[in-house]
Amino acid sequence: MKRYLILIFCVLLFNSCGKFLEEFSQDLAYAESCTDLDEILIGNGYMEQPLYFAEAGVYGNGYYPYIHVMDDDVAMTIFRKDGSIDVINNVASFKNFYDWSDQLTINPKTDEEWEDKDWEKIYSHIAYLNVIIAHVKKFTHDSVEVRNRIEGEARFLRGAYYYLLINLYANPYVKETASSDMGVPLNLTEDIVDEYYKRNSMEECYRVIVEDLKSAADKLKGVTQPTIYRVNELAVRILLSRVYLYMGEWQFALDECQKALALEGVELMDLKSFPGREEDRYVLDVQNPEIVFTQGYNATPVFYNDIDNFMLCSFTCSEDLISLYNCFDDQEVKDLRLNAFFEAREDEQYKVAKVVEKVYDCFVIRSAELYLNKAEAEAMLDKAEAKQTIKTLLNNRFKGGIPDVDGLNEKDLISFIRDERRRELCFEAHRWFDLRRYAVDSKYPESHPISHAYYEWDLTSASVALRGHYVLGTYPEDTGAYMLPIPDYAIIFNDGALVPNEERKDRTYNN
């Protein structure tokens, strides 16, 4: 029986996208111009935007929402609402991700199996993009500029999707072992191939990511996009600088940051003039000039709300995270992000309030990251400019002055930049990936256990009871839990050619 290089998604690809793409994919019957390819790009290349706001569910119409509950920025909380004792709500389904369980394929609400839809959706996007990249050059009656823009957007998205896949489903990148470490399967052609699907090496995967992003940056030069939902050169170079940081290629990362800073659109919002929620403003909204590009889905408004009519299983910001915004009180400077990013609740806990709609916390690129990437690369290269770079961001985030960074040595400066990255980019799908890459950093490796408290409703006392703590060990002690399992349906379909990830530990809470 023939197997296809695009995995089981060839069926999904040709049956779910409508007659236009079905026939186009086979014989290009209906694709007569780049306008047709542009429609495919918008409809199937970019992430789908939900029809309604913040659907709760592990594998709903969003993208990898669970990434927001696996790191050390989150804590579980349960509180009573108007006498109800119902603790079973949509957010409860994320429990197995919160406690790094070996039962990720089981819905804790129903004990039924569910399938990983993110692997399927991301590879489906890639299959569409492969078609666009393969055929855009053939439409020579369209201008070179239009063809370059479409190919540039498609290559950015393909590189971005492989960046996501490799950081969700594989170990973090280690240069010394990248040629032998398993990455994810690469599909770079629209052609049907009679072979099983296997995992490419980490080196091969990152090579494709870098090549796609470099090509995208070249092809998008001079392109002005109509909205923040279409990628431009600035977004490409910021993401490429991030990828180079993950690879430990500090000079390459710095080069990309410098190229990005030379482009139009690099702005920082001064939080001293941020109007806040009293004027219905959020940091991640379309009015923020820092937003360069965004796509996809918002998960945090589901996790961190308190409007449920029932007993709410929810998540709150960890004390460890919140303490980072108060650690400079002795210097008499105020971090404005505490009030701009969060809302204090009556129980003295904080819920994240960075985003409401139209900017998506699963995938957002903004100018603030550019300064963080540049400062990190400079600090790793022991360049004095790193302090001035990070000060540029601090001047827009603090009131009454900024924290003293001038006296920090190289190691302490790196630690400060990592904390600053956590303060600035929390709940924007960065922290989990950052924890992984810090653990294998070649100069200053850093990995520490993460403890997540677990609560249940106690019927005997009719109150919330702390049952214990789930603990994620350091990397590589607890390697299996730092990546998602390759879906069973992909392994079965490929008849053993697709090697599974290391098994997760059987995890129970401790008192």
Side-chain angles (χ1 to χ4, degrees), residues 58-59 64-75 94-101 104 118 167-169 303-304 315 427 429 431-433 435-436 448-452 470-473 480-485 504:
V58 173
Y59 296 121
Y64 46 90
Y66 42 78
I67 197 173
H68 297 287
V69 304
M70 296 191 295
D71 60 35
D72 52 356
D73 286 345
V74 64
F94 290 88
K95 174 188 173 295
N96 287 351
F97 292 87
Y98 175 77
D99 59 31
W100 313 286
S101 171
L104 286 188
D118 286 316
N167 281 283
L168 288 171
Y169 296 99
F303 296 140
Y304 302 94
F315 298 98
F427 304 107
R431 182 61 178 171
W432 179 248
F433 291 171
L435 287 171
R436 288 162 33 92
H448 54 81
I450 302 174
S451 177
H452 279 175
Y470 288 96
V471 177
L472 174 66
Y482 280 87
M483 50 187 167
L484 302 180
R504 291 178 165 224

Side-chain angles (χ1 to χ4, degrees), residues 307-421:
I307 59 174
D308 201 301
N309 293 324
F310 302 103
M311 170 68 71
L312 182 65
C313 170
S314 185
F315 298 98
T316 187
C317 305
S318 69
E319 293 181 5
D320 185 43
L321 173 64
I322 296 302
S323 69
L324 287 178
Y325 298 94
N326 298 315
C327 63
F328 303 110
D329 289 351
D330 60 337
Q331 299 183 34
E332 298 183 354
V333 296
K334 179 178 177 59
D335 193 328
L336 299 171
R337 289 169 294 195
L338 181 61
N339 291 326
F341 291 3
F342 309 97
E343 289 181 5
R345 300 195 312 210
E346 293 180 0
D347 55 6
E348 297 183 353
Q349 295 177 329
Y350 284 84
K351 68 173 185 177
V352 63
K354 293 180 78 172
V355 61
V356 60
E357 59 184 358
K358 296 183 180 179
V359 174
Y360 303 106
D361 57 29
C362 83
F363 200 109
V364 56
I365 296 175
R366 55 192 180 97
S367 299
E369 184 194 347
L370 173 56
Y371 288 93
L372 289 163
N373 293 354
K374 183 172 183 285
E376 181 177 339
E378 289 170 333
M380 285 294 190
L381 293 168
D382 201 20
K383 291 183 177 291
E385 296 90 336
K387 294 178 180 178
Q388 186 54 51
T389 299
I390 200 65
K391 284 181 182 180
T392 302
L393 179 61
L394 299 178
N395 283 326
N396 290 276
R397 297 297 186 259
F398 282 82
K399 182 178 180 180
I402 63 174
D404 181 16
V405 298
D406 289 325
L408 298 178
N409 60 33
E410 181 183 337
K411 183 177 180 179
D412 289 340
L413 180 60
I414 290 296
S415 179
F416 180 91
I417 292 170
R418 287 177 178 176
D419 284 346
E420 186 60 22
R421 186 178 184 87

Side-chain angles (χ1 to χ4, degrees), residues 128-161:
Y128 285 104
L129 296 167
N130 287 340
V131 172
I132 294 171
I133 293 169
H135 294 289
V136 66
K137 294 182 178 68
K138 299 178 182 179
F139 297 108
T140 55
H141 49 282
D142 286 296
S143 69
V144 173
E145 291 78 13
V146 170
R147 282 179 279 151
N148 282 344
R149 176 186 61 76
I150 291 175
E151 184 178 351
E153 291 182 62
R155 286 191 177 276
F156 166 83
L157 290 169
R158 190 171 70 175
Y161 292 143

Side-chain angles (χ1 to χ4, degrees), residues 18 22-23 29 42 65 70 112 197 265 436 456 472 480 501:
E22 178 180 351
E23 298 197 17
I42 296 170
M70 296 191 295
E112 297 175 349
Y197 212 170
R436 288 162 33 92
E456 286 182 345
L472 174 66
N501 281 331

